[in-house]
Amino acid sequence: MTIDTYQFDDLKLLSPEVQKLLPDQYQLRSLGSNDFARGHLDVLSVLTQTGTHTYHDWLDQFQYMQSHADTYFSIVIEDQALDRVVAVGTLFVERKFVHDNGRVGHIEDIAVANDQQGQRLGLRVIQALQYIGRQQGCYKIILDCATKNIPFYEKCGFQQKESQMVMYTSSK
């Protein structure tokens, strides 16, 4: 493995309160360039299909997001004893013309490894992303979720509002 670089380096964006709530061997941090080998996609596959990434495919996407570090904030919780990613999530910051050129945070891709569920790691990821959203000046933070997950997100402080619409295209 090469030396890790991180998707964003601003440690002020990581909540010290969330870190304190994690088990001792767990670390909250930005997505790292070596997280492909640490199982980043394995954790995401709990949520949805991830495709057939090679390391280079994954690294291209990582580097794109890293070069847009004011827009993408991907975080992981790593079990340092196992050198393994166990929970993930991303906050995407959209810049708007409304609300005086305001910012909206979109929470995406929250996933916890199957063998780590029940330890409140999903809650910790959400709390950490909410913290980043506040640090980035977002006037609201939104997410889409499956109906079965609504009670979980309500416990995280979200409320149901309006409806989501989707149209899938044949493009990648």
mmCIF file of all heavy atoms in Angstrom, residues 14-49:
data_model
loop_
_atom_site.group_PDB
_atom_site.id
_atom_site.type_symbol
_atom_site.label_atom_id
_atom_site.label_comp_id
_atom_site.label_asym_id
_atom_site.label_seq_id
_atom_site.Cartn_x
_atom_site.Cartn_y
_atom_site.Cartn_z
ATOM 1 N N LEU A 14 -14.360 17.367 10.989
ATOM 2 C CA LEU A 14 -14.716 16.108 11.637
ATOM 3 C C LEU A 14 -15.116 16.367 13.089
ATOM 4 O O LEU A 14 -14.384 16.992 13.843
ATOM 5 C CB LEU A 14 -13.543 15.133 11.571
ATOM 6 C CG LEU A 14 -13.170 14.709 10.158
ATOM 7 C CD1 LEU A 14 -11.912 13.856 10.170
ATOM 8 C CD2 LEU A 14 -14.309 13.977 9.471
ATOM 9 N N SER A 15 -16.260 15.892 13.451
ATOM 10 C CA SER A 15 -16.826 16.143 14.766
ATOM 11 C C SER A 15 -16.056 15.417 15.870
ATOM 12 O O SER A 15 -16.042 14.181 15.909
ATOM 13 C CB SER A 15 -18.284 15.689 14.797
ATOM 14 O OG SER A 15 -18.775 15.692 16.113
ATOM 15 N N PRO A 16 -15.458 16.170 16.797
ATOM 16 C CA PRO A 16 -14.794 15.503 17.924
ATOM 17 C C PRO A 16 -15.791 14.774 18.825
ATOM 18 O O PRO A 16 -15.450 13.756 19.421
ATOM 19 C CB PRO A 16 -14.092 16.642 18.666
ATOM 20 C CG PRO A 16 -14.670 17.914 18.145
ATOM 21 C CD PRO A 16 -15.304 17.628 16.830
ATOM 22 N N GLU A 17 -17.021 15.263 18.884
ATOM 23 C CA GLU A 17 -18.038 14.601 19.710
ATOM 24 C C GLU A 17 -18.376 13.224 19.165
ATOM 25 O O GLU A 17 -18.531 12.268 19.921
ATOM 26 C CB GLU A 17 -19.307 15.460 19.808
ATOM 27 C CG GLU A 17 -19.137 16.738 20.604
ATOM 28 C CD GLU A 17 -18.459 17.865 19.821
ATOM 29 O OE1 GLU A 17 -18.466 17.840 18.564
ATOM 30 O OE2 GLU A 17 -17.887 18.752 20.466
ATOM 31 N N VAL A 18 -18.499 13.132 17.835
ATOM 32 C CA VAL A 18 -18.796 11.829 17.234
ATOM 33 C C VAL A 18 -17.629 10.875 17.476
ATOM 34 O O VAL A 18 -17.834 9.712 17.841
ATOM 35 C CB VAL A 18 -19.112 11.965 15.730
ATOM 36 C CG1 VAL A 18 -19.194 10.602 15.060
ATOM 37 C CG2 VAL A 18 -20.422 12.728 15.531
ATOM 38 N N GLN A 19 -16.412 11.337 17.298
ATOM 39 C CA GLN A 19 -15.242 10.471 17.528
ATOM 40 C C GLN A 19 -15.249 9.927 18.952
ATOM 41 O O GLN A 19 -14.979 8.749 19.163
ATOM 42 C CB GLN A 19 -13.943 11.233 17.256
ATOM 43 C CG GLN A 19 -12.687 10.384 17.441
ATOM 44 C CD GLN A 19 -12.605 9.205 16.501
ATOM 45 O OE1 GLN A 19 -12.673 9.344 15.291
ATOM 46 N NE2 GLN A 19 -12.463 8.007 17.061
ATOM 47 N N LYS A 20 -15.597 10.758 19.927
ATOM 48 C CA LYS A 20 -15.620 10.322 21.331
ATOM 49 C C LYS A 20 -16.659 9.220 21.571
ATOM 50 O O LYS A 20 -16.498 8.416 22.487
ATOM 51 C CB LYS A 20 -15.923 11.499 22.256
ATOM 52 C CG LYS A 20 -14.788 12.466 22.404
ATOM 53 C CD LYS A 20 -15.206 13.625 23.303
ATOM 54 C CE LYS A 20 -14.217 14.765 23.196
ATOM 55 N NZ LYS A 20 -14.696 15.968 23.887
ATOM 56 N N LEU A 21 -17.717 9.195 20.763
ATOM 57 C CA LEU A 21 -18.782 8.217 20.940
ATOM 58 C C LEU A 21 -18.488 6.872 20.287
ATOM 59 O O LEU A 21 -19.223 5.905 20.492
ATOM 60 C CB LEU A 21 -20.098 8.782 20.398
ATOM 61 C CG LEU A 21 -20.651 9.990 21.159
ATOM 62 C CD1 LEU A 21 -21.807 10.626 20.394
ATOM 63 C CD2 LEU A 21 -21.072 9.593 22.566
ATOM 64 N N LEU A 22 -17.418 6.802 19.511
ATOM 65 C CA LEU A 22 -17.055 5.554 18.822
ATOM 66 C C LEU A 22 -16.257 4.643 19.750
ATOM 67 O O LEU A 22 -15.551 5.116 20.640
ATOM 68 C CB LEU A 22 -16.224 5.862 17.577
ATOM 69 C CG LEU A 22 -16.947 6.590 16.450
ATOM 70 C CD1 LEU A 22 -15.950 6.961 15.346
ATOM 71 C CD2 LEU A 22 -18.080 5.751 15.882
ATOM 72 N N PRO A 23 -16.322 3.324 19.515
ATOM 73 C CA PRO A 23 -15.454 2.416 20.279
ATOM 74 C C PRO A 23 -13.983 2.804 20.096
ATOM 75 O O PRO A 23 -13.604 3.392 19.080
ATOM 76 C CB PRO A 23 -15.745 1.045 19.642
ATOM 77 C CG PRO A 23 -17.120 1.186 19.054
ATOM 78 C CD PRO A 23 -17.220 2.615 18.590
ATOM 79 N N ASP A 24 -13.157 2.459 21.060
ATOM 80 C CA ASP A 24 -11.761 2.901 21.098
ATOM 81 C C ASP A 24 -10.975 2.636 19.816
ATOM 82 O O ASP A 24 -10.212 3.477 19.377
ATOM 83 C CB ASP A 24 -11.022 2.251 22.270
ATOM 84 C CG ASP A 24 -11.461 2.835 23.598
ATOM 85 O OD1 ASP A 24 -12.016 3.955 23.616
ATOM 86 O OD2 ASP A 24 -11.251 2.163 24.625
ATOM 87 N N GLN A 25 -11.132 1.484 19.198
ATOM 88 C CA GLN A 25 -10.320 1.158 18.027
ATOM 89 C C GLN A 25 -10.897 1.720 16.728
ATOM 90 O O GLN A 25 -10.337 1.497 15.664
ATOM 91 C CB GLN A 25 -10.113 -0.364 17.900
ATOM 92 C CG GLN A 25 -11.312 -1.129 17.352
ATOM 93 C CD GLN A 25 -12.332 -1.556 18.394
ATOM 94 O OE1 GLN A 25 -12.318 -1.078 19.528
ATOM 95 N NE2 GLN A 25 -13.227 -2.442 18.019
ATOM 96 N N TYR A 26 -12.009 2.489 16.809
ATOM 97 C CA TYR A 26 -12.654 3.027 15.613
ATOM 98 C C TYR A 26 -12.255 4.485 15.420
ATOM 99 O O TYR A 26 -12.197 5.250 16.377
ATOM 100 C CB TYR A 26 -14.167 2.925 15.736
ATOM 101 C CG TYR A 26 -14.699 1.515 15.590
ATOM 102 C CD1 TYR A 26 -14.131 0.452 16.272
ATOM 103 C CD2 TYR A 26 -15.777 1.261 14.777
ATOM 104 C CE1 TYR A 26 -14.622 -0.829 16.140
ATOM 105 C CE2 TYR A 26 -16.278 -0.022 14.641
ATOM 106 C CZ TYR A 26 -15.694 -1.062 15.319
ATOM 107 O OH TYR A 26 -16.168 -2.327 15.195
ATOM 108 N N GLN A 27 -12.021 4.847 14.172
ATOM 109 C CA GLN A 27 -11.644 6.227 13.843
ATOM 110 C C GLN A 27 -12.572 6.778 12.772
ATOM 111 O O GLN A 27 -12.801 6.143 11.743
ATOM 112 C CB GLN A 27 -10.209 6.278 13.330
ATOM 113 C CG GLN A 27 -9.789 7.688 12.941
ATOM 114 C CD GLN A 27 -8.442 7.719 12.234
ATOM 115 O OE1 GLN A 27 -7.966 6.729 11.699
ATOM 116 N NE2 GLN A 27 -7.833 8.888 12.228
ATOM 117 N N LEU A 28 -13.079 7.967 13.013
ATOM 118 C CA LEU A 28 -13.838 8.733 12.028
ATOM 119 C C LEU A 28 -12.825 9.541 11.226
ATOM 120 O O LEU A 28 -11.979 10.220 11.798
ATOM 121 C CB LEU A 28 -14.810 9.679 12.736
ATOM 122 C CG LEU A 28 -15.519 10.714 11.860
ATOM 123 C CD1 LEU A 28 -16.480 10.033 10.902
ATOM 124 C CD2 LEU A 28 -16.237 11.722 12.734
ATOM 125 N N ARG A 29 -12.911 9.459 9.903
ATOM 126 C CA ARG A 29 -11.978 10.210 9.071
ATOM 127 C C ARG A 29 -12.533 10.370 7.670
ATOM 128 O O ARG A 29 -13.532 9.758 7.298
ATOM 129 C CB ARG A 29 -10.605 9.550 9.041
ATOM 130 C CG ARG A 29 -10.613 8.151 8.438
ATOM 131 C CD ARG A 29 -9.209 7.643 8.232
ATOM 132 N NE ARG A 29 -9.168 6.264 7.797
ATOM 133 C CZ ARG A 29 -9.446 5.840 6.583
ATOM 134 N NH1 ARG A 29 -9.817 6.689 5.647
ATOM 135 N NH2 ARG A 29 -9.385 4.558 6.286
ATOM 136 N N SER A 30 -11.842 11.183 6.893
ATOM 137 C CA SER A 30 -12.161 11.366 5.488
ATOM 138 C C SER A 30 -11.803 10.090 4.715
ATOM 139 O O SER A 30 -10.908 9.344 5.122
ATOM 140 C CB SER A 30 -11.341 12.550 4.962
ATOM 141 O OG SER A 30 -11.494 12.688 3.578
ATOM 142 N N LEU A 31 -12.494 9.862 3.611
ATOM 143 C CA LEU A 31 -12.168 8.742 2.737
ATOM 144 C C LEU A 31 -10.709 8.838 2.308
ATOM 145 O O LEU A 31 -10.227 9.915 1.940
ATOM 146 C CB LEU A 31 -13.086 8.780 1.503
ATOM 147 C CG LEU A 31 -12.924 7.655 0.483
ATOM 148 C CD1 LEU A 31 -13.352 6.324 1.087
ATOM 149 C CD2 LEU A 31 -13.744 7.966 -0.759
ATOM 150 N N GLY A 32 -9.998 7.730 2.365
ATOM 151 C CA GLY A 32 -8.580 7.710 2.016
ATOM 152 C C GLY A 32 -8.312 6.959 0.728
ATOM 153 O O GLY A 32 -9.089 6.088 0.313
ATOM 154 N N SER A 33 -7.183 7.270 0.116
ATOM 155 C CA SER A 33 -6.823 6.672 -1.173
ATOM 156 C C SER A 33 -6.556 5.175 -1.089
ATOM 157 O O SER A 33 -6.558 4.491 -2.110
ATOM 158 C CB SER A 33 -5.605 7.384 -1.764
ATOM 159 O OG SER A 33 -4.500 7.300 -0.883
ATOM 160 N N ASN A 34 -6.358 4.638 0.097
ATOM 161 C CA ASN A 34 -6.154 3.195 0.257
ATOM 162 C C ASN A 34 -7.407 2.467 0.735
ATOM 163 O O ASN A 34 -7.347 1.285 1.066
ATOM 164 C CB ASN A 34 -4.992 2.930 1.224
ATOM 165 C CG ASN A 34 -3.660 3.304 0.612
ATOM 166 O OD1 ASN A 34 -3.458 3.157 -0.586
ATOM 167 N ND2 ASN A 34 -2.753 3.801 1.429
ATOM 168 N N ASP A 35 -8.532 3.159 0.769
ATOM 169 C CA ASP A 35 -9.749 2.546 1.293
ATOM 170 C C ASP A 35 -10.389 1.539 0.353
ATOM 171 O O ASP A 35 -11.232 0.755 0.781
ATOM 172 C CB ASP A 35 -10.753 3.620 1.716
ATOM 173 C CG ASP A 35 -10.342 4.292 3.018
ATOM 174 O OD1 ASP A 35 -9.526 3.702 3.757
ATOM 175 O OD2 ASP A 35 -10.827 5.401 3.288
ATOM 176 N N PHE A 36 -9.990 1.513 -0.890
ATOM 177 C CA PHE A 36 -10.443 0.438 -1.780
ATOM 178 C C PHE A 36 -10.009 -0.899 -1.169
ATOM 179 O O PHE A 36 -10.817 -1.821 -1.040
ATOM 180 C CB PHE A 36 -9.842 0.621 -3.182
ATOM 181 C CG PHE A 36 -10.242 -0.452 -4.156
ATOM 182 C CD1 PHE A 36 -11.431 -0.349 -4.861
ATOM 183 C CD2 PHE A 36 -9.425 -1.548 -4.384
ATOM 184 C CE1 PHE A 36 -11.803 -1.330 -5.782
ATOM 185 C CE2 PHE A 36 -9.783 -2.537 -5.290
ATOM 186 C CZ PHE A 36 -10.978 -2.427 -5.994
ATOM 187 N N ALA A 37 -8.744 -0.975 -0.775
ATOM 188 C CA ALA A 37 -8.208 -2.209 -0.182
ATOM 189 C C ALA A 37 -8.784 -2.480 1.207
ATOM 190 O O ALA A 37 -8.772 -3.624 1.668
ATOM 191 C CB ALA A 37 -6.685 -2.135 -0.112
ATOM 192 N N ARG A 38 -9.264 -1.451 1.867
ATOM 193 C CA ARG A 38 -9.843 -1.610 3.206
ATOM 194 C C ARG A 38 -11.326 -1.971 3.159
ATOM 195 O O ARG A 38 -11.988 -2.014 4.196
ATOM 196 C CB ARG A 38 -9.665 -0.324 4.007
ATOM 197 C CG ARG A 38 -8.237 -0.046 4.401
ATOM 198 C CD ARG A 38 -8.168 1.165 5.331
ATOM 199 N NE ARG A 38 -6.800 1.485 5.626
ATOM 200 C CZ ARG A 38 -6.115 2.494 5.070
ATOM 201 N NH1 ARG A 38 -6.695 3.305 4.203
ATOM 202 N NH2 ARG A 38 -4.861 2.698 5.394
ATOM 203 N N GLY A 39 -11.869 -2.181 1.957
ATOM 204 C CA GLY A 39 -13.243 -2.662 1.850
ATOM 205 C C GLY A 39 -14.312 -1.603 1.672
ATOM 206 O O GLY A 39 -15.490 -1.867 1.931
ATOM 207 N N HIS A 40 -13.953 -0.412 1.194
ATOM 208 C CA HIS A 40 -14.929 0.651 0.981
ATOM 209 C C HIS A 40 -16.121 0.167 0.143
ATOM 210 O O HIS A 40 -17.281 0.364 0.531
ATOM 211 C CB HIS A 40 -14.246 1.854 0.325
ATOM 212 C CG HIS A 40 -15.160 2.982 0.029
ATOM 213 N ND1 HIS A 40 -15.473 3.365 -1.254
ATOM 214 C CD2 HIS A 40 -15.852 3.818 0.848
ATOM 215 C CE1 HIS A 40 -16.303 4.394 -1.216
ATOM 216 N NE2 HIS A 40 -16.556 4.687 0.038
ATOM 217 N N LEU A 41 -15.842 -0.475 -0.980
ATOM 218 C CA LEU A 41 -16.937 -0.934 -1.844
ATOM 219 C C LEU A 41 -17.712 -2.091 -1.223
ATOM 220 O O LEU A 41 -18.912 -2.229 -1.471
ATOM 221 C CB LEU A 41 -16.413 -1.324 -3.226
ATOM 222 C CG LEU A 41 -15.926 -0.175 -4.091
ATOM 223 C CD1 LEU A 41 -15.418 -0.700 -5.433
ATOM 224 C CD2 LEU A 41 -17.020 0.863 -4.312
ATOM 225 N N ASP A 42 -17.045 -2.906 -0.420
ATOM 226 C CA ASP A 42 -17.753 -3.989 0.272
ATOM 227 C C ASP A 42 -18.826 -3.418 1.189
ATOM 228 O O ASP A 42 -19.932 -3.937 1.261
ATOM 229 C CB ASP A 42 -16.782 -4.842 1.088
ATOM 230 C CG ASP A 42 -15.787 -5.594 0.218
ATOM 231 O OD1 ASP A 42 -16.078 -5.860 -0.968
ATOM 232 O OD2 ASP A 42 -14.685 -5.890 0.726
ATOM 233 N N VAL A 43 -18.490 -2.337 1.882
ATOM 234 C CA VAL A 43 -19.472 -1.708 2.770
ATOM 235 C C VAL A 43 -20.591 -1.096 1.931
ATOM 236 O O VAL A 43 -21.773 -1.275 2.247
ATOM 237 C CB VAL A 43 -18.815 -0.660 3.686
ATOM 238 C CG1 VAL A 43 -19.865 0.045 4.535
ATOM 239 C CG2 VAL A 43 -17.766 -1.312 4.582
ATOM 240 N N LEU A 44 -20.251 -0.388 0.859
ATOM 241 C CA LEU A 44 -21.297 0.203 0.009
ATOM 242 C C LEU A 44 -22.211 -0.854 -0.607
ATOM 243 O O LEU A 44 -23.384 -0.583 -0.859
ATOM 244 C CB LEU A 44 -20.664 1.049 -1.095
ATOM 245 C CG LEU A 44 -20.230 2.448 -0.693
ATOM 246 C CD1 LEU A 44 -19.474 3.115 -1.832
ATOM 247 C CD2 LEU A 44 -21.410 3.289 -0.267
ATOM 248 N N SER A 45 -21.700 -2.053 -0.832
ATOM 249 C CA SER A 45 -22.525 -3.105 -1.452
ATOM 250 C C SER A 45 -23.642 -3.572 -0.530
ATOM 251 O O SER A 45 -24.584 -4.218 -0.977
ATOM 252 C CB SER A 45 -21.652 -4.282 -1.888
ATOM 253 O OG SER A 45 -21.185 -5.002 -0.772
ATOM 254 N N VAL A 46 -23.569 -3.231 0.760
ATOM 255 C CA VAL A 46 -24.669 -3.507 1.684
ATOM 256 C C VAL A 46 -25.886 -2.671 1.281
ATOM 257 O O VAL A 46 -27.026 -3.085 1.443
ATOM 258 C CB VAL A 46 -24.247 -3.187 3.137
ATOM 259 C CG1 VAL A 46 -25.429 -3.239 4.082
ATOM 260 C CG2 VAL A 46 -23.143 -4.126 3.582
ATOM 261 N N LEU A 47 -25.624 -1.495 0.717
ATOM 262 C CA LEU A 47 -26.665 -0.541 0.347
ATOM 263 C C LEU A 47 -27.241 -0.820 -1.040
ATOM 264 O O LEU A 47 -28.452 -0.811 -1.234
ATOM 265 C CB LEU A 47 -26.068 0.870 0.386
ATOM 266 C CG LEU A 47 -26.927 2.037 -0.029
ATOM 267 C CD1 LEU A 47 -28.096 2.205 0.926
ATOM 268 C CD2 LEU A 47 -26.089 3.304 -0.075
ATOM 269 N N THR A 48 -26.363 -1.047 -2.014
ATOM 270 C CA THR A 48 -26.787 -1.188 -3.406
ATOM 271 C C THR A 48 -25.680 -1.859 -4.196
ATOM 272 O O THR A 48 -24.579 -2.093 -3.671
ATOM 273 C CB THR A 48 -27.139 0.196 -4.013
ATOM 274 O OG1 THR A 48 -27.756 0.010 -5.292
ATOM 275 C CG2 THR A 48 -25.913 1.069 -4.155
ATOM 276 N N GLN A 49 -25.929 -2.120 -5.467
ATOM 277 C CA GLN A 49 -24.881 -2.724 -6.300
ATOM 278 C C GLN A 49 -23.818 -1.674 -6.589
ATOM 279 O O GLN A 49 -24.126 -0.499 -6.767
ATOM 280 C CB GLN A 49 -25.481 -3.326 -7.571
ATOM 281 C CG GLN A 49 -26.109 -2.350 -8.537
ATOM 282 C CD GLN A 49 -25.107 -1.816 -9.565
ATOM 283 O OE1 GLN A 49 -24.055 -2.391 -9.790
ATOM 284 N NE2 GLN A 49 -25.433 -0.703 -10.168
#
